[in-house]
Amino acid sequence: MMMEQDHKERLQAAEDSFRLVIVTGMSGGGKTQASRFLEDMGYFCVDNLPPVFIPKFVELCKHAGGHVRRVVLVVDTRSREFFDTFVHTLEDMDQDDVPYEMLFMDASDAAIIRRYKETRRRHPMAPYSRISEGIAKERERLAPVRAKATYIIDTSELKKVELRDKLRRLFGKSGGEQMNINVLSFGFKFGMPLDADMVLDVRFLPNPFYIESMRHKSGAVPEVAEYIAKWPVTKEFTGLLDEMMDFLVPQYIKEGKSQLVIAIGCTGGMHRSVYIAKHIYDRLNAQGYSARLEHRDLMKNDVREHVREEC
């Protein structure tokens, strides 16, 4: 526990510096799932890297101009003969004061056997014999590595959401990970976006298309925006929409969602959807969320005037 506390204090003081997490452990212990969650948290992940290459890879990352600040290296017995150098590599890194954290993923023999039975895969340490024999061999081989682990997570009875939350607490940025919100306007006549988490149909709002002076101007043009906004139905809708977003976004963040796509559609994706998408985007940014605005189908229309927003 003291080791974990020392690591946390050191890493908290160097929040924006290079951070290296080495993920290792038992086959079937959850290394793949852990690396996927860490990748979702913004880490650059490399799977099955031979230990002998770790120091050189770390140097390359440090000289990448600050573009690679958080790295996960998955190292396990799949590297075969190369794995024998793992402990020696870690000792060399300790002597050279190379900061790293090591996450050891473990599980009970029964849980590992059950997982291998479900996937019908062979154990790497016993491809032609019983799974239990492979587990025993691997535990013996990993014992020196496990002794050097910063964190050990037993996934025997752990649900995926519980593993994700543990990893967020251990390896997330202070203050938590920010959910990326993509606000997208589109036209129903061009098809609905397949990756949308939430779709709002705003075709009930007054349509500037039928006003000759506004027909070829987008919903981001002040004249068009003012026209859409002045109607009582728009005012009532945006009020309800703001309340819904104020409730939903924190719930999605609490649930651990890494990305949220909010799609707003009107007939052509030129006037009403653009206006409402801009309204949502501006409000989310004013509240400090990480939001991005995209008008998917705007330029598929006969647009002659458009105000480009800062996204």
PDB file of all heavy atoms in Angstrom, residues 122-144:
ATOM      1  N   ARG A 122      -6.284 -22.130 -26.798  1.00  0.00           N
ATOM      2  CA  ARG A 122      -5.247 -22.893 -26.112  1.00  0.00           C
ATOM      3  C   ARG A 122      -4.452 -21.964 -25.194  1.00  0.00           C
ATOM      4  O   ARG A 122      -4.221 -20.801 -25.520  1.00  0.00           O
ATOM      5  CB  ARG A 122      -4.300 -23.541 -27.126  1.00  0.00           C
ATOM      6  CG  ARG A 122      -4.961 -24.599 -28.002  1.00  0.00           C
ATOM      7  CD  ARG A 122      -3.960 -25.141 -29.009  1.00  0.00           C
ATOM      8  NE  ARG A 122      -4.543 -26.213 -29.811  1.00  0.00           N
ATOM      9  CZ  ARG A 122      -3.884 -26.856 -30.770  1.00  0.00           C
ATOM     10  NH1 ARG A 122      -2.621 -26.541 -31.030  1.00  0.00           N
ATOM     11  NH2 ARG A 122      -4.472 -27.813 -31.455  1.00  0.00           N
ATOM     12  N   HIS A 123      -4.018 -22.516 -24.071  1.00  0.00           N
ATOM     13  CA  HIS A 123      -3.191 -21.730 -23.165  1.00  0.00           C
ATOM     14  C   HIS A 123      -1.781 -21.651 -23.742  1.00  0.00           C
ATOM     15  O   HIS A 123      -1.222 -22.666 -24.163  1.00  0.00           O
ATOM     16  CB  HIS A 123      -3.166 -22.376 -21.774  1.00  0.00           C
ATOM     17  CG  HIS A 123      -2.639 -21.457 -20.717  1.00  0.00           C
ATOM     18  ND1 HIS A 123      -1.292 -21.193 -20.564  1.00  0.00           N
ATOM     19  CD2 HIS A 123      -3.281 -20.736 -19.759  1.00  0.00           C
ATOM     20  CE1 HIS A 123      -1.125 -20.355 -19.561  1.00  0.00           C
ATOM     21  NE2 HIS A 123      -2.312 -20.063 -19.048  1.00  0.00           N
ATOM     22  N   PRO A 124      -1.173 -20.448 -23.784  1.00  0.00           N
ATOM     23  CA  PRO A 124       0.149 -20.306 -24.412  1.00  0.00           C
ATOM     24  C   PRO A 124       1.256 -21.119 -23.742  1.00  0.00           C
ATOM     25  O   PRO A 124       2.251 -21.466 -24.380  1.00  0.00           O
ATOM     26  CB  PRO A 124       0.438 -18.803 -24.309  1.00  0.00           C
ATOM     27  CG  PRO A 124      -0.443 -18.320 -23.208  1.00  0.00           C
ATOM     28  CD  PRO A 124      -1.679 -19.160 -23.291  1.00  0.00           C
ATOM     29  N   MET A 125       1.084 -21.430 -22.461  1.00  0.00           N
ATOM     30  CA  MET A 125       2.108 -22.194 -21.753  1.00  0.00           C
ATOM     31  C   MET A 125       1.864 -23.701 -21.815  1.00  0.00           C
ATOM     32  O   MET A 125       2.682 -24.482 -21.336  1.00  0.00           O
ATOM     33  CB  MET A 125       2.176 -21.745 -20.284  1.00  0.00           C
ATOM     34  CG  MET A 125       2.553 -20.290 -20.101  1.00  0.00           C
ATOM     35  SD  MET A 125       4.250 -19.950 -20.606  1.00  0.00           S
ATOM     36  CE  MET A 125       5.154 -20.754 -19.296  1.00  0.00           C
ATOM     37  N   ALA A 126       0.723 -24.091 -22.369  1.00  0.00           N
ATOM     38  CA  ALA A 126       0.421 -25.530 -22.485  1.00  0.00           C
ATOM     39  C   ALA A 126      -0.494 -25.746 -23.681  1.00  0.00           C
ATOM     40  O   ALA A 126      -1.653 -26.144 -23.533  1.00  0.00           O
ATOM     41  CB  ALA A 126      -0.238 -26.034 -21.202  1.00  0.00           C
ATOM     42  N   PRO A 127      -0.008 -25.499 -24.880  1.00  0.00           N
ATOM     43  CA  PRO A 127      -0.867 -25.591 -26.072  1.00  0.00           C
ATOM     44  C   PRO A 127      -1.360 -27.007 -26.371  1.00  0.00           C
ATOM     45  O   PRO A 127      -2.376 -27.167 -27.044  1.00  0.00           O
ATOM     46  CB  PRO A 127       0.044 -25.081 -27.194  1.00  0.00           C
ATOM     47  CG  PRO A 127       1.433 -25.295 -26.693  1.00  0.00           C
ATOM     48  CD  PRO A 127       1.363 -25.091 -25.214  1.00  0.00           C
ATOM     49  N   TYR A 128      -0.655 -28.029 -25.872  1.00  0.00           N
ATOM     50  CA  TYR A 128      -1.043 -29.404 -26.193  1.00  0.00           C
ATOM     51  C   TYR A 128      -1.369 -30.231 -24.948  1.00  0.00           C
ATOM     52  O   TYR A 128      -1.427 -31.458 -25.019  1.00  0.00           O
ATOM     53  CB  TYR A 128       0.082 -30.084 -26.986  1.00  0.00           C
ATOM     54  CG  TYR A 128       0.453 -29.323 -28.230  1.00  0.00           C
ATOM     55  CD1 TYR A 128       1.671 -28.656 -28.309  1.00  0.00           C
ATOM     56  CD2 TYR A 128      -0.423 -29.241 -29.311  1.00  0.00           C
ATOM     57  CE1 TYR A 128       2.005 -27.933 -29.442  1.00  0.00           C
ATOM     58  CE2 TYR A 128      -0.086 -28.521 -30.451  1.00  0.00           C
ATOM     59  CZ  TYR A 128       1.124 -27.868 -30.505  1.00  0.00           C
ATOM     60  OH  TYR A 128       1.449 -27.153 -31.636  1.00  0.00           O
ATOM     61  N   SER A 129      -1.566 -29.553 -23.815  1.00  0.00           N
ATOM     62  CA  SER A 129      -1.924 -30.272 -22.588  1.00  0.00           C
ATOM     63  C   SER A 129      -3.024 -29.519 -21.865  1.00  0.00           C
ATOM     64  O   SER A 129      -3.620 -28.584 -22.405  1.00  0.00           O
ATOM     65  CB  SER A 129      -0.694 -30.453 -21.691  1.00  0.00           C
ATOM     66  OG  SER A 129      -0.123 -29.191 -21.374  1.00  0.00           O
ATOM     67  N   ARG A 130      -3.305 -29.905 -20.626  1.00  0.00           N
ATOM     68  CA  ARG A 130      -4.423 -29.321 -19.885  1.00  0.00           C
ATOM     69  C   ARG A 130      -4.169 -27.857 -19.541  1.00  0.00           C
ATOM     70  O   ARG A 130      -3.028 -27.440 -19.302  1.00  0.00           O
ATOM     71  CB  ARG A 130      -4.651 -30.123 -18.611  1.00  0.00           C
ATOM     72  CG  ARG A 130      -5.088 -31.564 -18.870  1.00  0.00           C
ATOM     73  CD  ARG A 130      -5.028 -32.372 -17.593  1.00  0.00           C
ATOM     74  NE  ARG A 130      -5.874 -31.780 -16.563  1.00  0.00           N
ATOM     75  CZ  ARG A 130      -5.744 -32.052 -15.261  1.00  0.00           C
ATOM     76  NH1 ARG A 130      -4.786 -32.871 -14.857  1.00  0.00           N
ATOM     77  NH2 ARG A 130      -6.558 -31.505 -14.389  1.00  0.00           N
ATOM     78  N   ILE A 131      -5.255 -27.088 -19.500  1.00  0.00           N
ATOM     79  CA  ILE A 131      -5.163 -25.663 -19.178  1.00  0.00           C
ATOM     80  C   ILE A 131      -4.565 -25.466 -17.792  1.00  0.00           C
ATOM     81  O   ILE A 131      -3.757 -24.552 -17.571  1.00  0.00           O
ATOM     82  CB  ILE A 131      -6.562 -25.005 -19.261  1.00  0.00           C
ATOM     83  CG1 ILE A 131      -7.100 -25.091 -20.686  1.00  0.00           C
ATOM     84  CG2 ILE A 131      -6.517 -23.556 -18.799  1.00  0.00           C
ATOM     85  CD1 ILE A 131      -8.555 -24.660 -20.816  1.00  0.00           C
ATOM     86  N   SER A 132      -4.930 -26.326 -16.854  1.00  0.00           N
ATOM     87  CA  SER A 132      -4.425 -26.195 -15.485  1.00  0.00           C
ATOM     88  C   SER A 132      -2.902 -26.306 -15.432  1.00  0.00           C
ATOM     89  O   SER A 132      -2.251 -25.631 -14.622  1.00  0.00           O
ATOM     90  CB  SER A 132      -5.066 -27.253 -14.583  1.00  0.00           C
ATOM     91  OG  SER A 132      -4.818 -28.556 -15.078  1.00  0.00           O
ATOM     92  N   GLU A 133      -2.321 -27.112 -16.291  1.00  0.00           N
ATOM     93  CA  GLU A 133      -0.868 -27.238 -16.333  1.00  0.00           C
ATOM     94  C   GLU A 133      -0.231 -25.934 -16.827  1.00  0.00           C
ATOM     95  O   GLU A 133       0.803 -25.493 -16.311  1.00  0.00           O
ATOM     96  CB  GLU A 133      -0.468 -28.395 -17.234  1.00  0.00           C
ATOM     97  CG  GLU A 133      -0.856 -29.770 -16.708  1.00  0.00           C
ATOM     98  CD  GLU A 133      -0.416 -30.885 -17.641  1.00  0.00           C
ATOM     99  OE1 GLU A 133       0.498 -30.652 -18.465  1.00  0.00           O
ATOM    100  OE2 GLU A 133      -0.984 -31.995 -17.563  1.00  0.00           O
ATOM    101  N   GLY A 134      -0.841 -25.336 -17.834  1.00  0.00           N
ATOM    102  CA  GLY A 134      -0.341 -24.064 -18.354  1.00  0.00           C
ATOM    103  C   GLY A 134      -0.422 -22.958 -17.305  1.00  0.00           C
ATOM    104  O   GLY A 134       0.498 -22.139 -17.184  1.00  0.00           O
ATOM    105  N   ILE A 135      -1.501 -22.944 -16.547  1.00  0.00           N
ATOM    106  CA  ILE A 135      -1.666 -21.934 -15.499  1.00  0.00           C
ATOM    107  C   ILE A 135      -0.573 -22.076 -14.445  1.00  0.00           C
ATOM    108  O   ILE A 135       0.031 -21.082 -14.007  1.00  0.00           O
ATOM    109  CB  ILE A 135      -3.059 -22.052 -14.854  1.00  0.00           C
ATOM    110  CG1 ILE A 135      -4.141 -21.691 -15.873  1.00  0.00           C
ATOM    111  CG2 ILE A 135      -3.161 -21.151 -13.627  1.00  0.00           C
ATOM    112  CD1 ILE A 135      -5.556 -21.938 -15.386  1.00  0.00           C
ATOM    113  N   ALA A 136      -0.300 -23.310 -14.033  1.00  0.00           N
ATOM    114  CA  ALA A 136       0.725 -23.554 -13.016  1.00  0.00           C
ATOM    115  C   ALA A 136       2.097 -23.089 -13.501  1.00  0.00           C
ATOM    116  O   ALA A 136       2.854 -22.437 -12.765  1.00  0.00           O
ATOM    117  CB  ALA A 136       0.752 -25.033 -12.650  1.00  0.00           C
ATOM    118  N   LYS A 137       2.432 -23.418 -14.749  1.00  0.00           N
ATOM    119  CA  LYS A 137       3.716 -23.007 -15.310  1.00  0.00           C
ATOM    120  C   LYS A 137       3.812 -21.482 -15.382  1.00  0.00           C
ATOM    121  O   LYS A 137       4.861 -20.893 -15.077  1.00  0.00           O
ATOM    122  CB  LYS A 137       3.898 -23.599 -16.702  1.00  0.00           C
ATOM    123  CG  LYS A 137       4.089 -25.107 -16.732  1.00  0.00           C
ATOM    124  CD  LYS A 137       4.224 -25.591 -18.174  1.00  0.00           C
ATOM    125  CE  LYS A 137       4.361 -27.113 -18.244  1.00  0.00           C
ATOM    126  NZ  LYS A 137       4.439 -27.578 -19.646  1.00  0.00           N
ATOM    127  N   GLU A 138       2.713 -20.849 -15.804  1.00  0.00           N
ATOM    128  CA  GLU A 138       2.740 -19.401 -15.966  1.00  0.00           C
ATOM    129  C   GLU A 138       2.853 -18.697 -14.623  1.00  0.00           C
ATOM    130  O   GLU A 138       3.565 -17.692 -14.499  1.00  0.00           O
ATOM    131  CB  GLU A 138       1.487 -18.926 -16.713  1.00  0.00           C
ATOM    132  CG  GLU A 138       1.556 -17.473 -17.141  1.00  0.00           C
ATOM    133  CD  GLU A 138       0.415 -17.063 -18.047  1.00  0.00           C
ATOM    134  OE1 GLU A 138      -0.737 -17.480 -17.780  1.00  0.00           O
ATOM    135  OE2 GLU A 138       0.671 -16.334 -19.019  1.00  0.00           O
ATOM    136  N   ARG A 139       2.157 -19.185 -13.610  1.00  0.00           N
ATOM    137  CA  ARG A 139       2.250 -18.576 -12.279  1.00  0.00           C
ATOM    138  C   ARG A 139       3.689 -18.629 -11.766  1.00  0.00           C
ATOM    139  O   ARG A 139       4.190 -17.659 -11.185  1.00  0.00           O
ATOM    140  CB  ARG A 139       1.321 -19.272 -11.296  1.00  0.00           C
ATOM    141  CG  ARG A 139      -0.142 -18.952 -11.486  1.00  0.00           C
ATOM    142  CD  ARG A 139      -0.960 -19.199 -10.237  1.00  0.00           C
ATOM    143  NE  ARG A 139      -2.379 -19.035 -10.503  1.00  0.00           N
ATOM    144  CZ  ARG A 139      -3.008 -17.861 -10.581  1.00  0.00           C
ATOM    145  NH1 ARG A 139      -2.302 -16.742 -10.429  1.00  0.00           N
ATOM    146  NH2 ARG A 139      -4.299 -17.804 -10.817  1.00  0.00           N
ATOM    147  N   GLU A 140       4.340 -19.752 -11.977  1.00  0.00           N
ATOM    148  CA  GLU A 140       5.728 -19.881 -11.535  1.00  0.00           C
ATOM    149  C   GLU A 140       6.640 -18.913 -12.284  1.00  0.00           C
ATOM    150  O   GLU A 140       7.508 -18.274 -11.691  1.00  0.00           O
ATOM    151  CB  GLU A 140       6.198 -21.323 -11.752  1.00  0.00           C
ATOM    152  CG  GLU A 140       7.618 -21.579 -11.284  1.00  0.00           C
ATOM    153  CD  GLU A 140       8.050 -23.018 -11.501  1.00  0.00           C
ATOM    154  OE1 GLU A 140       7.223 -23.833 -11.972  1.00  0.00           O
ATOM    155  OE2 GLU A 140       9.217 -23.325 -11.203  1.00  0.00           O
ATOM    156  N   ARG A 141       6.417 -18.788 -13.580  1.00  0.00           N
ATOM    157  CA  ARG A 141       7.265 -17.925 -14.394  1.00  0.00           C
ATOM    158  C   ARG A 141       7.022 -16.447 -14.091  1.00  0.00           C
ATOM    159  O   ARG A 141       7.931 -15.618 -14.194  1.00  0.00           O
ATOM    160  CB  ARG A 141       6.998 -18.202 -15.874  1.00  0.00           C
ATOM    161  CG  ARG A 141       8.069 -17.640 -16.798  1.00  0.00           C
ATOM    162  CD  ARG A 141       7.840 -18.092 -18.218  1.00  0.00           C
ATOM    163  NE  ARG A 141       8.931 -17.687 -19.087  1.00  0.00           N
ATOM    164  CZ  ARG A 141       8.916 -17.830 -20.401  1.00  0.00           C
ATOM    165  NH1 ARG A 141       7.872 -18.374 -20.991  1.00  0.00           N
ATOM    166  NH2 ARG A 141       9.948 -17.427 -21.135  1.00  0.00           N
ATOM    167  N   LEU A 142       5.781 -16.109 -13.721  1.00  0.00           N
ATOM    168  CA  LEU A 142       5.423 -14.710 -13.473  1.00  0.00           C
ATOM    169  C   LEU A 142       5.672 -14.265 -12.038  1.00  0.00           C
ATOM    170  O   LEU A 142       5.533 -13.075 -11.734  1.00  0.00           O
ATOM    171  CB  LEU A 142       3.951 -14.475 -13.820  1.00  0.00           C
ATOM    172  CG  LEU A 142       3.586 -14.423 -15.302  1.00  0.00           C
ATOM    173  CD1 LEU A 142       2.072 -14.396 -15.477  1.00  0.00           C
ATOM    174  CD2 LEU A 142       4.216 -13.192 -15.968  1.00  0.00           C
ATOM    175  N   ALA A 143       6.018 -15.171 -11.154  1.00  0.00           N
ATOM    176  CA  ALA A 143       6.179 -14.834  -9.731  1.00  0.00           C
ATOM    177  C   ALA A 143       7.142 -13.662  -9.504  1.00  0.00           C
ATOM    178  O   ALA A 143       6.815 -12.729  -8.748  1.00  0.00           O
ATOM    179  CB  ALA A 143       6.615 -16.058  -8.946  1.00  0.00           C
ATOM    180  N   PRO A 144       8.338 -13.643 -10.116  1.00  0.00           N
ATOM    181  CA  PRO A 144       9.240 -12.500  -9.897  1.00  0.00           C
ATOM    182  C   PRO A 144       8.678 -11.182 -10.418  1.00  0.00           C
ATOM    183  O   PRO A 144       8.945 -10.118  -9.858  1.00  0.00           O
ATOM    184  CB  PRO A 144      10.502 -12.900 -10.687  1.00  0.00           C
ATOM    185  CG  PRO A 144      10.405 -14.368 -10.881  1.00  0.00           C
ATOM    186  CD  PRO A 144       8.938 -14.659 -11.000  1.00  0.00           C
TER     187      PRO A 144
END
